[in-house]
Each structure stands twice: as structure tokens, then as C-alpha cells.
Amino acid sequence: MASEKITSIDVAKKVGVSQSAVSRVFTPGASVSSSMENKVLKAASELGYRPNMLARSLNTGKSKIIGLVISYLDNQFYPDVLEMLSSRLQENGYQILMFIASSDNKNLDQVLNEILDYQVDGIVMASVELSSVISKKIDSADIPVILLNRSLDNIRFSSITSNNYRGGKLIADFLIRSGHQKISHIAGNEKASTQRDRETGFIDGLKEAGMDLFSREIGNFMLDQASVAAREMFSSKVIPDAVFVANDHMAFAVMDVLRTDLCLKIPDDVSVIGFDDVKICSWPSYNLTTVRQPINTMVDKTVSLLISQLEENNSAKQVELDVELIVRGSCKLPEMFSRKEG
């Protein structure tokens, strides 16, 4: 027979205080003396009492839960985001409830139905593209929504992105100064704002130098598709001497194909450059030149924006953060280049 569940009334009786006093001890930000807090926590520990957070949410109308919708979880950039985001939110009294959206977003409508059923206080959407129909559905829920590493014209939603356009131009400028003449691109998901902005900046940078893109393939931010794109791109008689891959995750697959399958030397035969600066970039086996997204700042801005909307009723904001070129060994260097430029 199961033991009887310990309640806040039991704790209150043991300490000799009111039930409301016990409730205040377990309510973040509530006013309670340190002596009272110590007595209640000691009694709760001895009795094995744990507060019912779901029941409290019914009373307060706040679940203290943030729904996180994330895609491309195999991309090394996003596990780091998830870890940092969870930690920052916990520091502020919130917990994450995570949902996985498919890379093609076909299950996004179902995911949003489920996440809204949990009465979350807010939603963070990482690497997710929103259609106009989905946007209206979220908008009608009347809760704060933060788009992380994506942007949208709908100013009702806050967004945190890097300056992807500038990152693309930095890459074009660097490859041109390194003397490359046949510069190509392996794109990510063409529906993603990050892809569009990175490629637009890259193409504009080439055009400003009087150059055109040599060739282009699509990898959709997926390892297997990036491998196929690399084989297709380098199957011609005349091959690129440099390739910008839309993110690091794909760039690793491209480098493996070039070196292992096609026996090309990096950077002697072809320079490879990515975007994100995930931890694996610095591994000697890749040593990938890339554009760094300021992940710590992105997460901090996401949390501060979310809490300001939840607790201070502030308006949505669109934040764009600067990027930095990180030069390693996968690219030829311009003459008189100083690595401090990166």
C-alpha cells in the first residue's frame, strides 16, 4: 500500500506555523525571514515534502515553464544553446520543456498544439521557420515568443540573431583577399532567414569585387545532403578553389568528402570556410576557419528579453549581434595577413 502523500499542511503542523507561511517559503521572491525559511525547509526535508508546482500554477496562473521548440539538434551549435539556455532560465526561476520539430517543420503545427496544452509562460523557437498560418496561431496564444537564430518580419515576436549578412561579406572578402578565383557555396535550408542573409552578404561581397559565384549546391543544413552536394560540386573537370559552407555542421561533412573520397588537400587544393564556430572547429582534424556567432550573448539576450516581457510586460524587440571571423588552417591566407584580424 502506497504511503500517504505529505502536504504543506503536514509541514505547517510540524513547524507550528500557518500553511500560507510554508507556501511563501517555496515561492520564489516571496518575503520570508531566514529563520522561518530554515525551519520550514528542515521540516520539509524530514517529512519528505515536495511542493506541487502544477497545483501552484493553477493558483497563480503562471507555470514558470518555458516551451523550447528546436530543430537540427544534431548540429553541434544547438546542444550548446540548449545547455546554456536551460541554465540561465533556471537561475531566474524557470524550467524548460523541450519539443523537437522535424527539420522540414512538417510536424510544427502538432508540436505547437502540444506545447500550448502545457500552459507555458513563453516560447523560445530555435532554428525553426514559421509560416504565416503558424505565426497567427502562436500570436493568438498571447504569450511572449522569442525566435533564436532566426528572424521574421512579424514584430510581435522578439528575435535574437547574429549579423548573418555581415558574416557572409566577411567570408567573401577574406577568400578574395586570399587570391581565390573560383569561389563556390553550399547552401543550407533556403527557407531559413540565416541562410538567406548569409548568402546575400556573401554574393554582395563577391559582386563588389567584380566576381560571380563559381558554383552552388544545397545541403539543407544536413550532413548527408552536404556530402552529396560536395561530391556533385567537385565532380566537374574544373573545380572550385574555395567553398563557403553555410554552417560548420555541413562543413565537417564537406571536408571529410574532399579529403577522404576525392583525395583533395585542404587548403592546398581548396579552401573551406564555415559559419557558427562550434567547439569541433578547433579540433586539429578540422581546424576550420569560420564565422563565430556569439552564443553566450545570444542566450543571455534571449533570457533577458523573455523575462522582460513576462515580468515587466515589455514589448517585443529584434536584436542583431555582431560576428567575428575566426581564421584557422582550412583556408589559404591573404598576403601580409595577421591572425589578429579574426
Side-chain angles (χ1 to χ4, degrees), residues 156-334:
R156 160 73 174 82
F157 303 146
S158 290
S159 63
I160 309 291
T161 63
S162 294
N163 191 334
N164 290 287
Y165 178 86
R166 180 172 184 270
K169 288 198 75 173
L170 285 174
I171 290 169
D173 176 70
F174 179 76
L175 292 176
I176 291 166
R177 289 193 294 124
S178 300
H180 296 92
Q181 297 295 320
K182 301 184 291 294
I183 302 174
S184 296
H185 179 48
I186 295 181
N189 183 344
E190 293 181 294
K191 295 181 180 179
S193 61
T194 49
Q195 164 60 37
R196 294 194 299 268
D197 292 346
R198 290 170 192 178
E199 184 169 11
T200 300
F202 183 59
I203 298 298
D204 285 354
L206 293 178
K207 287 181 177 178
E208 288 176 8
M211 296 182 65
D212 293 320
L213 191 65
F214 181 70
S215 60
R216 181 184 189 270
E217 296 290 340
I218 302 171
N220 278 316
F221 294 138
M222 308 296 289
L223 280 177
D224 56 345
Q225 294 184 46
S227 297
V228 171
R231 292 187 185 95
E232 183 68 23
M233 177 174 284
F234 286 85
S235 64
S236 303
K237 290 183 179 180
V238 181
I239 64 172
D241 58 13
V243 57
F244 162 40
V245 189
N247 71 0
D248 297 338
H249 183 63
M250 292 195 300
F252 301 141
V254 170
M255 292 179 76
D256 288 342
V257 167
L258 296 181
R259 293 184 298 195
T260 305
D261 297 358
L262 304 178
C263 298
L264 295 171
K265 294 181 179 180
I266 301 172
D268 295 345
D269 297 322
V270 56
S271 291
V272 180
I273 190 164
F275 205 110
D276 282 340
D277 195 33
V278 301
K279 294 175 183 176
I280 298 176
C281 290
S282 63
W283 291 9
S285 54
Y286 291 108
N287 200 22
L288 178 64
T289 295
T290 187
V291 169
R292 175 179 292 167
Q293 295 205 79
I295 183 171
N296 282 292
T297 306
M298 293 178 78
V299 170
D300 286 342
K301 292 287 186 183
T302 298
V303 173
S304 63
L305 258 180
L306 184 60
I307 291 176
S308 74
Q309 290 183 244
L310 284 168
E311 300 179 3
E312 301 170 21
N313 202 30
N314 287 347
S315 300
K317 290 177 64 177
Q318 289 70 49
V319 177
E320 187 176 70
L321 303 171
D322 201 7
V323 293
E324 180 182 8
L325 180 67
I326 304 299
V327 179
R328 298 190 178 96
S330 67
C331 288
K332 291 180 180 178
L333 300 180

Side-chain angles (χ1 to χ4, degrees), residues 4-34:
E4 187 175 346
K5 184 175 178 62
I6 301 298
T7 69
S8 59
I9 296 176
D10 299 316
V11 178
K13 287 179 179 178
K14 183 175 179 64
V15 181
V17 297
S18 66
Q19 184 184 13
S20 62
V22 174
S23 179
R24 286 198 301 274
V25 169
F26 290 97
T27 300
S31 177
V32 61
S33 68
S34 57

Side-chain angles (χ1 to χ4, degrees), residues 37-56:
E37 182 179 12
N38 291 334
K39 289 177 183 179
V40 170
L41 291 177
K42 183 175 183 294
S45 177
E46 292 172 353
L47 292 172
Y49 168 73
R50 297 289 298 172
N52 188 329
M53 302 303 292
L54 293 177
R56 178 183 300 161

